[in-house]
Amino acid sequence: MQELPLAQTHELELIVDRRNRAVLLHRGPELEDYLWAQFDPEHNGLTLFTEKGEPRNLGLAIPKSFSDKLARASTLKLISVSERLHAGRPRQISLLQTTEAFS
Amino acid sequence: MNVGELIERLNRIGALRYEDWRAWVIEESGNSNPTREDVNAAALAWLKDKADGSIWLDPEEEQMLGEFLENVVPKHFDGSVVDALAFLERYGPEIASKDVADLKTYLNSPTGLAMIEKFNGHTGEQIGEMSHFFQQESNQDLSGYQVLRELEGPESVGNTSGSLLAAVTGIMPQQPDTAASAAPAPEAAHAQSAPPALMA
């Protein structure tokens, strides 16, 4: 059975900054051990993958202006936020663009 | 006293993590947005004071702290005690059984130097390599808080309207014009709770 989009089970904030650094803040149940992320600029979708290649879509609509920046990021830092709103240690994974993933 | 005990002790009094020092500086100085340099200067001054006669430390611990501040911090961390503490937080558990008296020697060894180099980010260039090595060993040296604080002009999309980043760091990210969530928003993030008080 396909898992629910992450945005339906967690509080999520996908962040990019001026230097195209991408961070996913998440709050809620512990995440699976995701190994990489894939961004599909054409459909503006971001999906996380486990080592076995199992996908979990974020379920966030990503506006064009944001997606242009995200398309230039090559890594994604996953940072959990605790109930007490403390940031956990970042876990950095590769962020692939769909075109490069299948080229 | 070994490194593990040192870390435990620093952690217990809230003197290990950067965000605890920062909260303390905010509380003490009234400056709501201290720079990293401000925080470092305050931490250094406090620790130097404690290393020079304190009821908080026994003589052996004072000596250790003095060595740490005088030799390890300037030599390997450009005088940044908060970086040195962040290093201990990150790598301390891996060298927990080492005696703190040997810390300086260890950090000057090839293994220790490689560890510091990795901490300082010189070997985190394997961006794009999808491997366990990258995931486990790359730039995880900075605390999450620090990573978030160093973002420049952050913009966010999500189901919290930017309130998570704001609650953790006090920085409200920009929202793209047409930002929207595909999913119903869970409960909004709550007001920031205070990190543990540093020390009396």
Side-chain angles (χ1 to χ4, degrees), chain B residues 32-75:
Chain B
S32 61
N33 195 18
T35 63
R36 193 168 175 79
E37 286 71 31
D38 294 336
V39 175
N40 184 62
L44 203 54
W46 193 90
L47 287 169
K48 275 186 173 166
D49 182 53
K50 297 306 166 204
D52 187 23
S54 163
I55 53 168
W56 179 65
L57 300 169
D58 62 36
E60 186 198 356
E61 290 168 341
E62 274 181 25
Q63 191 184 350
M64 174 278 304
L65 187 59
E67 280 272 302
F68 184 70
L69 295 173
E70 284 166 28
N71 295 311
V72 175
V73 173
K75 183 168 180 188

Side-chain angles (χ1 to χ4, degrees), chain A residues 55-74:
Chain A
R56 182 93 185 262
N57 192 272
L58 258 60
L60 295 176
I62 300 175
K64 177 77 169 61
S65 63
F66 192 92
S67 105
D68 288 346
K69 290 181 185 168
L70 195 58
R72 289 194 286 268
S74 56

Side-chain angles (χ1 to χ4, degrees), chain A residues 13 21 35 69 84 91, chain B residues 135 150 155 160 164 193:
Chain A
E13 265 173 53
R21 291 179 290 199
L35 195 58
K69 290 181 185 168
R84 296 189 62 211
R91 197 158 66 81
Chain B
Q135 183 187 2
E150 288 177 358
E155 194 175 320
T160 63
L164 270 188
S193 57

Side-chain angles (χ1 to χ4, degrees), chain B residues 4-51:
Chain B
E5 288 164 338
L6 168 69
I7 289 169
E8 191 185 328
R9 181 156 202 162
L10 288 169
N11 221 352
R12 197 166 56 232
I13 61 169
L16 183 65
R17 301 177 69 220
Y18 178 81
E19 43 270 60
D20 291 338
W21 279 111
R22 184 173 176 276
W24 178 67
V25 170
I26 290 172
E27 193 178 312
E28 290 289 307
S29 68
N31 176 1
S32 61
N33 195 18
T35 63
R36 193 168 175 79
E37 286 71 31
D38 294 336
V39 175
N40 184 62
L44 203 54
W46 193 90
L47 287 169
K48 275 186 173 166
D49 182 53
K50 297 306 166 204

Side-chain angles (χ1 to χ4, degrees), chain A residues 7 10-18 21 33 35 51 59 61 63 66 69 74 84-85 88-92, chain B residues 127 130 132 134-135 140 142 144 150 152 155-160 162-165 178 180 182 187 190-191 193-194:
Chain A
H10 291 69
E11 291 178 36
L12 293 184
E13 265 173 53
L14 181 60
I15 302 166
V16 285
D17 79 347
R18 231 174 253 143
R21 291 179 290 199
D33 196 12
L35 195 58
E51 188 179 16
F66 192 92
K69 290 181 185 168
S74 56
R84 296 189 62 211
L85 296 167
R89 188 172 293 286
R91 197 158 66 81
Q92 183 164 285
Chain B
I127 290 173
M130 198 166 54
H132 276 297
F134 184 72
Q135 183 187 2
Q140 296 190 33
L142 303 175
E150 288 177 358
E152 295 173 18
E155 194 175 320
S156 80
V157 296
N159 54 19
T160 63
S163 59
L164 270 188
L165 181 64
T178 52
E187 61 178 286
H190 313 296
S193 57

